[in-house]
Amino acid sequence: LWDSGRLEMPLVIVGRPGWKCRDVVARIHALEAQGRVFWHGGGLPDWQLRQLYRSAAAFIQASLDEGFGLPVGEAALFARPVVLSDIPVFREIVQGDGYFFNQRDRASFETALLRALQPDAPPTKTI
């Protein structure tokens, strides 16, 4: 999206890397060097996380599998559009009110993200 000019804003990532993601971490570092990504790999204190939620254009959670997804509820509390991988737990949390994408389909992600970033995009609600 950045290369095509359809996205100008940077991506902010908060959280430690998971397992089996060496290639992803390398890609994140390359994007950091370009100024497209800001990664807070050690997490953030609560006050900074709240500030980030308030200022975010949208929230993305691209999990392949998830137990509950507390950050989804947090983002919704701050009235942000939430872009989510299409897994059952996220459908349950937001009752179909998010911007869902197939984790294995890049076009699906692009469509969901661009819809969530529209000026009139409604925020996601949770149960």
Side-chain angles (χ1 to χ4, degrees), residues 63-126:
S63 301
L64 294 174
D65 192 21
E66 192 67 46
F68 176 72
L70 182 60
V72 174
E74 292 174 342
L77 285 174
F78 286 93
R80 297 295 146 224
V82 179
V83 180
L84 301 164
S85 48
D86 196 356
I87 59 176
V89 69
F90 291 157
R91 289 265 178 197
E92 182 179 337
I93 293 170
V94 302
Q95 298 186 345
D97 194 36
Y99 298 85
F100 291 94
F101 66 94
N102 178 327
Q103 311 92 303
R104 304 194 192 296
D105 180 359
R106 179 180 175 166
S108 174
F109 173 72
E110 290 177 0
T111 299
L113 180 59
L114 292 173
R115 284 183 46 222
L117 293 175
Q118 294 297 309
D120 60 345
T124 299
K125 299 173 195 74
T126 59

Side-chain angles (χ1 to χ4, degrees), residues 2 7-16 28 31-32 35-44 48-62 71 75 83 109 113 117:
W2 287 310
L7 185 67
E8 304 273 331
M9 64 188 65
L11 175 66
V12 178
I13 301 172
V14 178
R16 294 174 184 83
I28 289 170
L31 292 168
E32 277 184 303
R36 292 181 170 178
V37 169
F38 299 95
W39 185 17
H40 302 280
L44 291 173
Q48 282 184 309
L49 196 53
R50 283 190 300 273
Q51 187 176 17
L52 188 57
Y53 279 126
R54 280 187 196 99
S55 64
F59 172 84
I60 303 168
Q61 183 136 359
V83 180
F109 173 72
L113 180 59
L117 293 175

